[in-house]
Amino acid sequence: MSAMLLTSVSAQNGYTITGTAEGTVKGDTIFLCEMQGWFAMVPLDTAIVKKGKFEFTGQFDGCTHRYLLAMHKGENVATAAILLENAPISVQMFKDEKKNIIVGGPSARLWDEYERGAKEFDDRMAADWSVCLDTLVPEDNKIKERLLVNTYSADRKNYTKRFMLQHIGTPVADYLLAQTQSDFTKEEQEQLLKLFGQQKQQFYVYKGIMAQRVIDQRTGVGAQFTDFSMPDPKGKMISVSDYVKKNKYTLIDFWASWCGPCRAEMPTVVKAYDLYHAKGFEVVGVSLDNNKEAWIKAIDQLKMPWPHMSDIKGWGCAGAALYNVKGIPANVLIDQQGKIVAKNLRGQDLLDKMAELLK
C-alpha cells in the first residue's frame, strides 16, 4: 500500500498531476491508466519526462482511482495508485511501490479516512477467514468462523453506507454510491438517489445512474422505438423504420464479427428467421465492427440473409448508443406500430417469443 500524505486544497476546475518516477530519464513515458476487467490497465493519457519530472492536466467530474505507470525502455519501472480529483496531486514514484509518496486533495483525505475505518473490518475478516482456509481446523470451528466473517462483511457494508450518507454531496460519497447501490432495497435506492439529487452539486456516478434511467425509459419494453440510419454493406443508407413499417415484428440485432457469443447465438437467429420470416418477422443486423471486410465476410460465413447496417465504429456505433448497448449479443424486438415488445431474447427464448407472437 502506498504511503499517502494528504493536504487540503481549495476546489478548482481541473486536476494537475505532477511528479517524479525513479528509474526514468528524459524522454520516458508515464501513462495515466484506468483498470478494467481483471487488472487490465487501459491508458487514458500520457506524459513525457522532462527535466526529471512529468505532468498531467485535465478534468474529472468527481473522484476515482487511476494508476500511473512509469516506462523506461519499454519496461514498467514504477507504479502508483492515485485518487483522481479536481485538485493538485503530487506524486513521487519509486521502484518499491511501498515508498511512493502521494499528496492529494480533499477527496483523497476523505477517502483515506474511509479506508482506515474499513480496514478494521477487513483485518477482522482476514483473521477469521484464515481459520476457514486452514485444513487442520475442525469443520465445527470453521462454521463458527464463517458466521463471524459474514457478520463482519455485513458490518463493513453498513459502515460504508453510513460513511456515504454522512458525506453526501462530496465526490467520495458519489464514488461510494457506485460500490453500494446494490446493497440497498429498491425503496432505499429511491430515497438515496433523491438525497443525492437534492445536493448543490452532483458528480459522475449519480449523473450516470440518472442518465441510465432516462435511456431505460426511452428504450424499455412498451416504449416507442428510436429510429436510426446507417450504411448497408454496399454503402447505401438504410433505416430501421424502413423494415418496421413493412413487417409485423422486427428484431434489431446488435452483434459483431469478432464477438464469439454473437457467432454462437447466430444459428438461433437464423432459425427464427427461417421459421417466421414468411409470417412477418424481419431482422436488421447492426454490427459493432470496425473492420468492414471482416463484417461482410462474417455475414456470408454465418449465412445471415437479412438486412445489415454498420457505421464501422466498433463500440462507438451510433445505433448501439441509442439503445444503451453495453454488451453483445443484444437485441430489441419491435412491432409494426413501433412499440418495443421485448429485449435481449436469446436462444430458446427468441424462438418461444416468435412462436407466441406469430402463431
Side-chain angles (χ1 to χ4, degrees):
M1 193 82 178
S2 301
M4 303 274 301
L5 300 180
L6 308 168
T7 62
S8 176
V9 297
S10 59
Q12 60 176 44
N13 293 327
Y15 62 80
T16 301
I17 307 169
T18 55
T20 60
E22 183 182 18
T24 61
V25 298
K26 179 181 177 181
D28 281 345
T29 302
I30 312 295
F31 289 102
L32 176 63
C33 300
E34 176 184 18
M35 186 180 290
Q36 296 181 1
W38 291 97
F39 306 106
M41 292 290 186
V42 179
L44 303 175
D45 199 359
T46 59
I48 303 300
V49 176
K50 299 176 182 178
K51 296 181 180 180
K53 297 181 179 180
F54 62 86
E55 179 177 305
F56 292 91
T57 59
Q59 290 187 328
F60 189 79
D61 186 18
C63 70
T64 190
H65 279 98
R66 292 287 185 259
Y67 301 85
L68 297 172
L69 304 183
M71 308 299 293
H72 175 67
K73 294 183 177 180
E75 293 186 7
N76 179 206
V77 294
T79 303
I82 65 169
L83 191 74
L84 187 67
E85 59 176 306
N86 286 335
I89 302 169
S90 175
V91 183
Q92 295 180 52
M93 301 169 64
F94 296 91
K95 292 181 179 180
D96 181 356
E97 191 175 344
K98 294 179 180 178
K99 295 180 179 180
N100 288 349
I101 300 174
I102 304 168
V103 181
S107 292
R109 184 180 68 249
L110 189 58
W111 183 260
D112 191 50
E113 179 185 337
Y114 163 73
E115 285 203 316
R116 285 197 301 270
K119 187 175 184 299
E120 295 181 15
F121 298 101
D122 292 340
D123 289 345
R124 293 177 193 171
M125 281 191 287
D128 291 300
W129 190 243
S130 65
V131 176
C132 296
L133 297 176
D134 191 335
T135 57
L136 300 178
V137 174
E139 188 59 33
D140 289 346
N141 290 0
K142 288 186 179 182
I143 292 173
K144 178 183 176 181
E145 297 301 323
R146 288 193 192 102
L147 291 174
L148 286 173
V149 168
N150 292 338
T151 298
Y152 293 143
S153 178
D155 289 344
R156 191 190 195 284
K157 287 182 180 180
N158 289 331
Y159 161 74
T160 299
K161 292 176 184 178
R162 289 195 305 272
F163 193 94
M164 178 179 62
L165 291 172
Q166 287 168 2
H167 300 283
I168 196 165
T170 68
V172 169
D174 183 74
Y175 189 30
L176 287 173
L177 176 63
Q179 302 174 32
T180 62
Q181 188 189 10
S182 61
D183 295 335
F184 291 88
T185 65
K186 288 186 178 181
E187 292 76 15
E188 289 173 331
Q189 287 181 25
E190 292 302 320
Q191 293 172 357
L192 183 64
L193 292 173
K194 184 177 180 180
L195 286 174
F196 270 82
Q198 292 171 349
Q199 302 308 304
K200 183 177 180 180
Q201 186 175 4
Q202 290 87 37
F203 301 96
Y204 83 104
V205 174
Y206 170 78
K207 289 178 181 178
I209 291 171
M210 301 312 292
Q212 175 70 52
R213 289 189 167 203
V214 171
I215 293 173
D216 288 345
Q217 290 174 358
R218 191 179 70 226
T219 64
V221 173
Q224 197 71 11
F225 90 106
T226 301
D227 193 20
F228 60 92
S229 305
M230 285 192 290
D232 70 5
K234 294 183 179 180
K236 178 184 176 182
M237 292 297 292
I238 61 174
S239 302
V240 174
S241 57
D242 296 338
Y243 304 96
V244 169
K245 61 188 177 185
K246 295 177 183 177
N247 296 278
K248 293 181 180 179
Y249 294 96
T250 299
L251 186 76
I252 307 177
D253 188 39
F254 297 97
W255 71 291
S257 67
W258 47 259
C259 169
C262 300
R263 298 181 78 107
E265 182 69 17
M266 209 53 71
T268 301
V269 184
V270 171
K271 183 176 181 179
Y273 181 88
D274 290 342
L275 287 171
Y276 300 106
H277 180 61
K279 295 183 179 182
F281 175 60
E282 183 61 277
V283 180
V284 177
V286 180
S287 170
L288 276 69
D289 272 281
N290 50 24
N291 183 311
K292 186 173 181 179
E293 291 182 2
W295 169 43
I296 295 173
K297 183 178 179 181
I299 293 172
D300 181 61
Q301 287 177 333
L302 298 171
K303 304 186 187 309
M304 302 155 67
W306 49 81
H308 292 271
M309 59 168 68
S310 179
D311 53 12
I312 312 298
K313 293 183 179 179
W315 283 109
C317 173
L322 286 173
Y323 285 86
N324 199 37
V325 174
K326 300 297 185 183
I328 50 176
N331 57 51
V332 180
L333 184 64
I334 305 164
D335 68 16
Q336 199 163 17
Q337 288 68 49
K339 185 175 73 174
I340 297 173
V341 296
K343 295 181 71 174
N344 297 324
L345 296 167
R346 296 182 63 175
Q348 191 61 40
D349 289 341
L350 174 61
L351 297 172
D352 291 345
K353 188 65 175 180
M354 297 321 303
E356 171 195 331
L357 296 173
L358 295 173
K359 297 177 182 178

